[in-house]
Amino acid sequence: MSQKIVVLGAGRVGKVIAADLSTEYDVTSADISEQALSALAARFPVKTRVTDLADPKAVGQAIKDADLVVCAVPGFMGFSTLRTILENDKNVVDISFFAEDAFELDDLAKSRNLIAAVDCGVAPGIPDYLAGQLVNQMQIDDFTFYIGGLHFHGTGPNGYLPTFSPIDVWEEYTRPARYVRNGELITMPPLSEPELLDFHMAGHDLRLEAFNTDGLRSLITTMKGRIPDMKEKTLRFPGHIGYIQELQQTRQPWTPNKWTPKDDEDEFTIMQINFRGAQDGQPKKISYDMFVTWDPETRMSSMSRSTGYSCTGVVRCVLEGLYKQKGISPPSCIGSAPGCADRIFQHLKDRNILLARTEEALA
C-alpha cells in the first residue's frame, strides 16, 4: 500500500512538493484556498482538503492518517504548525522559514520518537547538506554562500518581484543577520556589508549586489567548533538595498499587486557555495554553482522547484529508511548521515536542478 503524505500549504512551493511526491505516494494537499487546491488537483493526482492551517484542531484532523507530513506554511505560522504536527505524533519535513529556534521542539520530538527535519529548502537546505557531508571529508576553514531569486526583466531596483512568499522575503530584510567569524557569533543589521559581485553561469553574465541576511540559521549550532568562519548573503540587482531601505522608511513594504509574481514570470535562482580549507594536508577551495530558470513546461518557478525538490529529496530519505535520527534534524545533520547527501543531489539532478562543482588548489 502506498504511503500517505499530507502537504500543509498549496502555495508556490507546496504545490511543487505535492506534485512531485504524487508520482510515488498517496498525497493530500491541505490549504484554506479552494482555488489553489482546485488548480493543483486539475493537473496532478493529488487529493485535496480545505483546511484552516491556523487552527491546530483542523490540522490534527487533516493529518490523522498520514505516514509523514510536509509543512509548507508561511514562516509566521511555521513554528506553531510544526509543534502541532509533533503533538499529533507524525514524522515531518518542514520548509517554513520561521524565526523561532526549532531546537525548542527537540525534546517533544524525541519524547514521541519522531523525525522532524527542518529548513529543508534551497537555502537553508542545499548548502547545509553539502556542509554536513564535506565537514566529514576535509578541514573547512571558511564556508560562504550567496543565494538570490530574481527576474530577468527586473534588473532595476524598483523592478524586483519576490520569487517566494512576500511575507518571508520581507522577513529577510528585517531580521538581524548572524554569521560566524573566528568561531564567534557576529550579529549585524540586515542589508549590511554590501558588495558587488560578477557571476558567469549558464551563459549569463550578471553583476549582482550581495548583502547580509540571516541565512545560516541552524548551521551556527551544528557547525560550532567545526567551521570557524561562516556567512550567508542574499543576491539582488544593484540598487536594491537603497530601494528596500526607502520602503522601510515609508513603512509601506509592498502592495499586493506589485509584490505578487505570476507563475509565468521569467525568473531564475542563482546560488554559489564556497568552501575553503584543506584535504589530505593540501589547501583547497571547493565551489558549487547553481543556476535554475523558470520551467515553461511545468509552469513552475525555479525557486519553487529548487526549494520543493530539496524538500522531497529529504522526504524520500525518511520514507526509504535512509534517514532515521529522531528529534529536530537540521539539513546539515541530514547531509552528514551516510548516503543522504548523495541521495538528495541525485534526486535534484533527476529533476534538472544541477550543481556544478569545481576544485581549486590553493597556495
Side-chain angles (χ1 to χ4, degrees), residues 332-349:
S332 57
C333 293
I334 297 166
S336 292
C340 283
D342 289 339
R343 175 69 174 96
I344 293 166
F345 288 115
Q346 183 61 52
H347 175 87
L348 291 169
K349 182 179 180 180

Side-chain angles (χ1 to χ4, degrees), residues 192-212:
S192 59
E193 297 185 326
E195 55 181 323
L196 289 175
L197 300 172
D198 292 317
F199 295 90
H200 310 282
M201 295 187 192
H204 298 277
D205 293 329
L206 297 165
R207 170 159 285 195
L208 300 176
E209 183 175 73
F211 50 86
N212 287 332

